[in-house]
Amino acid sequence: MRKGHLPRKTGKVFRIDPVIIFFSVAFVIGSTGGYFCCVALGIDNEIKEYLQQYANFLTSGGALSVASLLGAVLAYYRFPCIVFLCGHFYHAFYILCGLFMVEGFLLSFAVANFSLALGRAGILISLFVFGIRAMFIIPISLSLALCRFRQAVRRQGRRTAETRSVSEGRQLHFMFLYPAILALGVMVELTFVPKLAAFALQNIS
């Protein structure tokens, strides 16, 4: 090495795994389909009355019940657990894409229902309820789906340099960190969402 010439530093380049892009696109497609499906079907008086009752329940400020706690736990842990279990199947990639498409459809359909039924207040309530929920569920589900897909690839024998770097620590990462984050999301929803929903109904007509 000649004097005055230092070796060039090779920094690690951050790259998004193409699998994440496919899962995200599937989620967006499902969300678009859910919105247009809700707009096409419309909303009848029974659903509007039910959503109004649900909004009033959120703003009632009553004591925490077992049913509301179990409902929040089910809402937060359902999709990540399904993603984790479906990662064991042979065609995990296609199954996971379908799951994200269905999840996006259901989420968008629910938000559109609130918006059509309650107007601007419904938009805010759906943002508080489903937006906060999605902030916890979607990133964890995407990370978990990527991990499960790489493990499925290893099981099929198509090992690459990238998949070899995935260690068993990812499993421990899910077993301890992800459930704790989801539990935090449950606490946030049960504590702050009713207050935010009450603010939306009281200040926006």
Side-chain angles (χ1 to χ4, degrees), residues 78-154:
R78 171 183 53 84
F79 187 60
C81 289
I82 293 176
V83 169
F84 178 81
L85 294 177
C86 289
H88 292 282
F89 292 103
Y90 184 78
H91 298 289
F93 174 76
Y94 303 102
I95 297 174
L96 293 173
C97 283
L99 287 175
F100 278 100
M101 188 176 297
V102 172
E103 183 70 10
F105 179 91
L106 296 176
L107 179 62
S108 178
F109 191 86
V111 171
N113 270 298
F114 267 98
S115 302
L116 293 177
L118 304 177
R120 290 182 297 174
I123 296 176
L124 278 181
I125 291 176
S126 61
L127 178 64
F128 295 146
V129 175
F130 302 108
I132 294 177
R133 188 178 299 176
M135 287 175 57
F136 286 91
I137 296 176
I138 301 304
I140 288 178
S141 299
L142 285 173
S143 177
L144 182 59
L146 177 61
C147 179
R148 300 302 295 165
F149 172 74
R150 288 173 172 174
Q151 291 174 349
V153 170
R154 290 210 313 273

Side-chain angles (χ1 to χ4, degrees), residues 9-48:
K9 295 182 179 180
T10 57
K12 186 176 181 180
V13 180
F14 175 77
R15 295 180 180 179
I16 300 178
D17 196 297
V19 177
I20 291 291
I21 299 178
F22 279 105
F23 293 156
S24 301
V25 170
F27 182 82
V28 172
I29 292 175
S31 301
T32 305
Y35 172 78
F36 285 108
C37 182
C38 181
V39 172
L41 294 176
I43 182 170
D44 55 21
N45 293 329
E46 293 183 1
I47 297 179
K48 185 175 182 179

Side-chain angles (χ1 to χ4, degrees), residues 72-73 75-81 133 135-141 144 174 176-189:
V73 170
Y76 273 78
Y77 285 87
R78 171 183 53 84
F79 187 60
C81 289
R133 188 178 299 176
M135 287 175 57
F136 286 91
I137 296 176
I138 301 304
I140 288 178
S141 299
L144 182 59
F174 165 72
F176 294 103
L177 182 59
Y178 287 174
I181 297 176
L182 293 174
L184 176 63
V186 172
M187 294 176 59
V188 169
E189 176 160 332

